[in-house]
């Protein structure tokens, strides 16, 4: 995280004082490295440090910070756009969060997993007692030690990812970030001003509409924090998918009725534009309490220690690659597909919701070192886990399905 913060600082500084396009490109590349480092480290750090009963809520704090950052950026951009050199303030302002990351990383304690990996068992156990707030941490500590010993036997975690027993993890590391970007959320968040101007808003109104969607994004993420460890990951994934699908179809119909297949420009009646904005906000809310935070949470909690770093790298890489692709092709797709663009993304929302329903097991309330259980109990993935044993039973503790079928519970 420290390296990511330093790169982020450098990129923001170069962009803020850019004298030509080349400096902007170099600065953006450095920002990309910084974001990649942070996205790799933060979700894993939070999942390792958090108690399993509250892991979802604490991990989604990462996504909440992102949504707050988007909202603040939209508000600042609204005011900076009125200043001749305001673009420098917009780009250089990234120094503020970059400095927070850099300085904050100096005070972050190591995770018990990391300390065990380095052979500091006594310090790791003391750290575990401190962050859990109890003295009886023997069972969890033993799990961490066993996982660490298993990871040391792995010489090449990248090649190891291709083993049959890691097929479920590799699939989720690729498919979840792939689907997350094909929900269409970046079309809304990156190009909200363009979209709102296209459907009849003025320049200032479009920026304010972007601020509105940013506010909805923040509030809905808070909802996810509250419910993720209560209702489970699968419920939020499925509910969010259905909500986004309905809104995308509704927006597509609204735009089609007004502009037709030719995309003829014109002014929308005020009430009509408000209806479109409401549907877009409901769509953003659906994403913000489902695929937004869960797209980072679920991959970070399902990987065994021996492949955790490599698998998370794939997760981040796939996410960033498709973020880039969607950003590059969006305007071309908008020109050619018109209202059909929303139907294009709605199609993928259907596919990914079906994928979650059939292939993602519930992972709430399961310690990350015992996550193998959910794969061995799954109707499809169990066939790949035949050579993997259940975690050992200790002191009469076993793992079984909850009565409601909404996940596992320790009894």
């Amino acid at each position: 995280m420290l390296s990511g913060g330093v790169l982020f600082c450098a990129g923001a500084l170069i962009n803020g004082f850019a004298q030509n396009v080349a400096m902007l490109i170099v600065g953006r590349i450095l920002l990309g490295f910084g974001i990649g480092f942070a996205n790799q480290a933060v979700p894993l750090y939070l999942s390792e440090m958090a108690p399993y009963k509250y892991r979802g809520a604490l991990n989604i704090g990462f996504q909440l910070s992102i949504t707050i950052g988007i909202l603040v950026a939209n508000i600042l951009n609204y005011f900076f756009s009125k200043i001749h050199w305001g673009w420098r303030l917009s780009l250089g302002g990234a120094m503020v969060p970059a400095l927070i990351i850099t300085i904050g990383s100096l005070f972050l304690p190591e995770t018990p997993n990391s300390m065990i990996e380095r052979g500091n068992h006594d310090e790791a156990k003391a750290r575990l007692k401190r962050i859990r707030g109890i003295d009886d941490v023997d069972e969890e500590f033993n799990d961490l030690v066993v996982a660490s010993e298993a990871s040391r036997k792995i010489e090449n975690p990248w090649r190891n990812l291709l083993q049959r027993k890691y097929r479920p993890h590799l699939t989720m590391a690729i498919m979840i970030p792939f689907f997350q970007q094909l929900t269409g959320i970046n079309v809304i968040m990156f190009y909200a001003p363009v979209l709102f101007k296209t459907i009849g808003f003025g320049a200032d109104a479009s920026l304010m509409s972007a601020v509105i969607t940013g506010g909805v994004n923040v509030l809905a993420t808070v909802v996810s924090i509250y419910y993720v460890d209560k209702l489970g990951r699968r419920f939020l994934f499925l509910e969010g998918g259905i909500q986004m699908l309905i809104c995308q179809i509704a927006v597509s119909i609204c735009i089609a009725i007004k502009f037709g297949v030719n995309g003829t420009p014109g002014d929308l009646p005020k009430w009509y534009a408000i209806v479109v904005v409401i549907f877009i906000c409901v769509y953003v809310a659906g994403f913000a309490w489902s695929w937004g935070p869960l797209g980072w949470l679920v991959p970070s909690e399902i990987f065994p220690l021996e492949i955790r770093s490599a698998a998370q790298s794939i997760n981040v890489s796939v996410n960033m690659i498709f973020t880039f692709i969607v950003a590059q092709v969006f305007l071309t797709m908008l020109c050619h597909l018109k209202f059909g663009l929303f139907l294009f993304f709605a199609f993928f929302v259907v596919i990914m919701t079906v994928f979650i329903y059939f292939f993602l097991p519930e992972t709430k309330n399961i310690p990350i070192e015992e996550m193998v259980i959910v794969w061995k109990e799954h109707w499809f993935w169990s066939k790949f886990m035949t050579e993997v044993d259940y975690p050992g039973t200790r002191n009469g503790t076993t793992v079984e399905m909850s009565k409601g079928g909404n996940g596992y519970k320790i009894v």
Side-chain angles (χ1 to χ4, degrees):
M1 280 186 278
L2 177 60
S3 299
V6 172
L7 290 172
F8 213 108
C9 282
L13 194 62
I14 292 174
N15 278 349
F17 289 96
Q19 300 299 314
N20 49 54
V21 175
M23 289 184 68
L24 289 173
I25 293 175
V26 171
R28 190 62 189 88
I29 290 174
L30 292 176
L31 288 175
F33 278 113
I35 292 172
F37 278 37
N39 287 343
Q40 164 75 10
V42 175
L44 291 184
Y45 181 88
L46 294 173
S47 288
E48 290 185 356
M49 292 290 279
Y52 66 85
K53 290 183 179 181
Y54 308 107
R55 184 175 61 240
L58 294 175
N59 194 293
I60 292 178
F62 169 66
Q63 179 69 12
L64 178 63
S65 298
I66 292 176
T67 60
I68 292 174
I70 293 172
L71 175 59
V72 172
N74 283 332
I75 294 173
L76 292 177
N77 287 338
Y78 175 74
F79 291 104
F80 291 158
S81 66
K82 303 179 184 300
I83 304 174
H84 178 67
W85 42 269
W87 64 272
R88 292 190 182 275
L89 294 177
S90 292
L91 296 177
M95 279 287 295
V96 176
L99 287 173
I100 294 175
I101 294 173
T102 304
I103 297 173
S105 64
L106 298 175
F107 297 94
L108 284 177
E110 290 286 346
T111 68
N113 306 64
S114 177
M115 299 175 77
I116 291 173
E117 284 282 283
R118 299 177 184 179
N120 301 325
H121 286 211
D122 292 338
E123 294 180 22
K125 192 168 186 178
R127 177 66 50 77
L128 190 60
K129 289 180 179 180
R130 182 177 179 181
I131 62 178
R132 296 293 181 261
I134 58 175
D135 292 329
D136 185 13
V137 296
D138 290 340
E139 292 181 0
E140 183 177 1
F141 180 77
N142 291 336
D143 277 344
L144 297 180
V145 171
V146 170
S148 176
E149 292 174 352
S151 69
R152 289 176 183 172
K153 298 177 182 179
I154 306 300
E155 296 181 0
N156 192 327
W158 291 98
R159 186 182 304 168
N160 206 55
L161 271 171
L162 301 178
Q163 291 187 22
R164 181 180 175 85
K165 65 180 179 179
Y166 298 124
R167 201 70 50 80
H169 313 84
L170 181 60
T171 300
M172 296 302 164
I174 295 173
M175 298 309 295
I176 288 180
F178 168 76
F179 283 135
Q180 185 192 52
Q181 295 310 310
L182 287 175
T183 58
I185 187 62
N186 282 335
V187 171
I188 300 296
M189 304 311 291
F190 286 176
Y191 299 104
V194 177
L195 283 173
F196 285 116
K197 189 173 183 179
T198 300
I199 62 176
F201 287 76
D204 286 348
S206 68
L207 283 171
M208 286 304 298
S209 297
V211 171
I212 292 172
T213 59
V216 171
N217 201 12
V218 172
L219 294 176
T221 303
V222 174
V223 172
S224 183
I225 289 176
Y226 182 79
Y227 283 110
V228 68
D229 291 313
K230 299 178 184 294
L231 301 178
R233 283 64 160 154
R234 276 172 53 86
F235 176 86
L236 291 180
F237 264 132
L238 297 175
E239 190 282 332
I242 294 171
Q243 182 172 325
M244 286 189 291
L245 175 63
I246 293 173
C247 292
Q248 284 169 322
I249 293 174
V251 170
S252 179
I253 292 173
C254 289
I255 296 178
I257 291 174
K258 179 60 181 177
F259 296 110
V261 295
N262 295 323
T264 304
D267 293 327
L268 287 178
K270 184 175 182 180
W271 68 268
Y272 202 94
I274 291 175
V275 169
V276 175
V277 170
I278 289 174
F279 276 119
I280 289 178
C281 287
V282 174
Y283 163 82
V284 170
F287 175 86
W289 60 51
S290 62
W291 279 89
L294 298 180
W296 294 108
L297 166 61
V298 173
S300 73
E301 66 183 2
I302 64 174
F303 303 138
L305 182 61
E306 61 268 23
I307 63 167
R308 190 168 295 159
S309 180
Q312 180 69 359
S313 296
I314 291 177
N315 176 55
V316 174
S317 297
V318 172
N319 190 294
M320 295 295 104
I321 288 171
F322 281 94
T323 299
F324 173 78
I325 292 174
V326 170
Q328 294 304 307
V329 304
F330 162 72
L331 289 178
T332 300
M333 293 177 67
L334 181 62
C335 291
H336 287 82
L337 297 179
K338 279 59 175 205
F339 65 87
L341 179 63
F342 292 92
L343 296 180
F344 171 82
F345 288 114
F347 169 78
F348 281 100
V349 170
V350 172
I351 299 299
M352 68 197 216
T353 302
V354 172
F355 173 82
I356 292 296
Y357 182 81
F358 285 105
F359 296 109
L360 181 68
E362 182 56 64
T363 56
K364 74 165 188 170
N365 292 339
I366 294 293
I368 57 176
E369 307 305 342
E370 296 183 1
M371 199 63 71
V372 61
I373 295 164
V374 303
W375 306 112
K376 289 187 69 69
E377 295 290 338
H378 191 267
W379 70 273
F380 180 79
W381 298 119
S382 58
K383 67 181 70 174
F384 297 96
M385 309 295 290
T386 54
E387 298 179 0
V388 182
D389 295 329
Y390 282 95
T393 300
R394 302 177 303 274
N395 299 328
T397 299
T398 58
V399 180
E400 62 182 33
M401 282 291 289
S402 64
K403 292 182 180 179
N406 192 31
Y408 294 87
K409 63 180 181 181
I410 305 296
V411 297

